[in-house]
Amino acid sequence: MRAQSRIIFFDDNNEKFFGEGPCRLLREVERTGSLNGAAASLGMAYTKAMKLMKNAEKALGFPLTVRQVGGRSGGGSVLTEKGRLFLERYEAYRDACIQENHRLFREFFPEPLFGKTALVIMASGQGKRFGSNKLLCDFDGQPMIRRILDSSEGLFRQRLVVTRHKEVEELCRSMGVAVIVHQLPGRNDTVRLGVEALDPEIRYCIFSPGDQPLLSRETLVRMGEAAEEADTGGIESDAKESDDKTSDATDGIVSDTEKPIFRLAYQERQGTPVAFPAWAFPLLKTLPEGKGGTIILKEYPDRVKTLEAAGQWELMDVDTPEDREELLHI
């Protein structure tokens, strides 16, 4: 979907007198040196070109072109100084309108940066070690789960939160974020519900916990880039194989079933988020009771590639109040 701007000028009688047709005609006059040559290059009848010029000049009150006599071609037409100035202003105004239209279109009809990738935010933990709902605890002046909601805004074709908490649901809905509420017991249930809600067009799904408050937007962007490049035949140049050896960008990736899993890591420590390709979706729907996607990482180690985090703090989650205090001081 896109919105197209067309700039058309009307006179006092609401009659159209200038737009892209006359604009292109004047530019061709400037290039060819004649109105006849300009019309011919545009596939336009000379009589129509003459009519367009006369209508525009009548509405504006000054000539746009002037005939010249002599020269190699025996004469022709050139733009007047007022005509050239008007044409330049029209084009500048048109371009400014187009740019503003694009900005407003993105504002009112935002398109995601990654059109084939989804983000599922895992927010079903009960926070027993924390002593309360850690996802809503204050972290630098806002509920902790707001960190990933803010950092992922506008990035992915589909973004949803899977939670068992009514307060998290209310926060998500207030921000316009899709949310699935459940009371099922296992981690496998949370993963399955997320996968079952994916649009058919999704080719990669990033699973991220809601309690890694220092996970950055830049890292989410790199994961999205790696996923979409892998889906079209290439992968991020800074991705590494799971044995930490640098891999060639496309070696061995020849089919959907061989597209890699991307996992965030820092040096020797591997963690989350994890981006699973579509071939893994059926496996994610049928995880053993109480298990998460890690079981797939262990089953297919040769298909796991790591993306290096900016620092180990990006991988750190909040399980206790002490964890929160530590991260607040990084």
Side-chain angles (χ1 to χ4, degrees), residues 41 67 81 99 103 131 138 155 161 164-165 181 195 234 236:
S41 68
R67 288 190 58 81
E81 284 302 311
Q99 291 176 11
R103 184 190 70 78
D138 179 84
L155 294 184
V161 174
R164 66 175 76 252
H165 305 293
V181 184
V195 176
E236 276 286 287

Side-chain angles (χ1 to χ4, degrees), residues 134-265:
K134 61 182 179 180
L135 297 170
L136 297 174
C137 76
D138 179 84
F139 193 93
D140 200 21
Q142 62 184 351
M144 184 168 61
I145 195 171
R146 274 290 301 262
R147 303 282 294 193
I148 190 167
L149 296 179
D150 290 342
S151 63
S152 61
E153 177 66 31
L155 294 184
F156 303 104
R157 178 188 181 96
Q158 192 175 5
R159 180 178 59 153
L160 59 94
V161 174
V162 184
T163 186
R164 66 175 76 252
H165 305 293
K166 183 68 175 177
E167 298 84 358
V168 172
E169 176 194 11
E170 292 172 354
L171 174 62
C172 292
R173 295 199 187 283
S174 72
M175 297 179 64
V177 179
V179 58
I180 298 173
V181 184
H182 69 99
Q183 294 301 324
L184 298 173
R187 185 174 181 82
N188 60 301
D189 297 310
T190 302
V191 174
R192 175 178 55 79
L193 289 171
V195 176
E196 289 177 346
L198 296 179
D199 293 341
E201 296 84 2
I202 296 297
R203 306 307 303 158
Y204 264 87
C205 183
I206 299 172
F207 287 85
S208 181
D211 62 353
Q212 287 179 213
L214 298 187
L215 178 66
S216 69
R217 182 177 180 87
E218 291 74 19
T219 291
L220 289 173
V221 167
R222 288 201 302 118
M223 293 199 79
E225 289 174 342
E228 302 231 338
E229 289 178 14
D231 186 60
T232 55
I235 58 176
E236 276 286 287
S237 60
D238 61 352
K240 300 178 182 179
E241 293 183 357
S242 57
D243 62 1
D244 217 31
K245 295 179 181 178
T246 303
S247 63
D248 292 333
T250 58
D251 283 353
I253 303 175
V254 295
S255 70
D256 282 347
T257 57
E258 293 177 319
K259 288 175 181 175
I261 300 168
F262 293 101
R263 186 176 194 182
L264 190 64

Side-chain angles (χ1 to χ4, degrees), residues 1 12 23 51 65 72 85 97 117 142 207 222 237 263:
M1 182 174 69
D12 293 339
C23 174
K51 184 177 181 181
T65 63
R72 288 185 302 171
L85 179 61
C97 288
T117 305
Q142 62 184 351
F207 287 85
R222 288 201 302 118
S237 60
R263 186 176 194 182

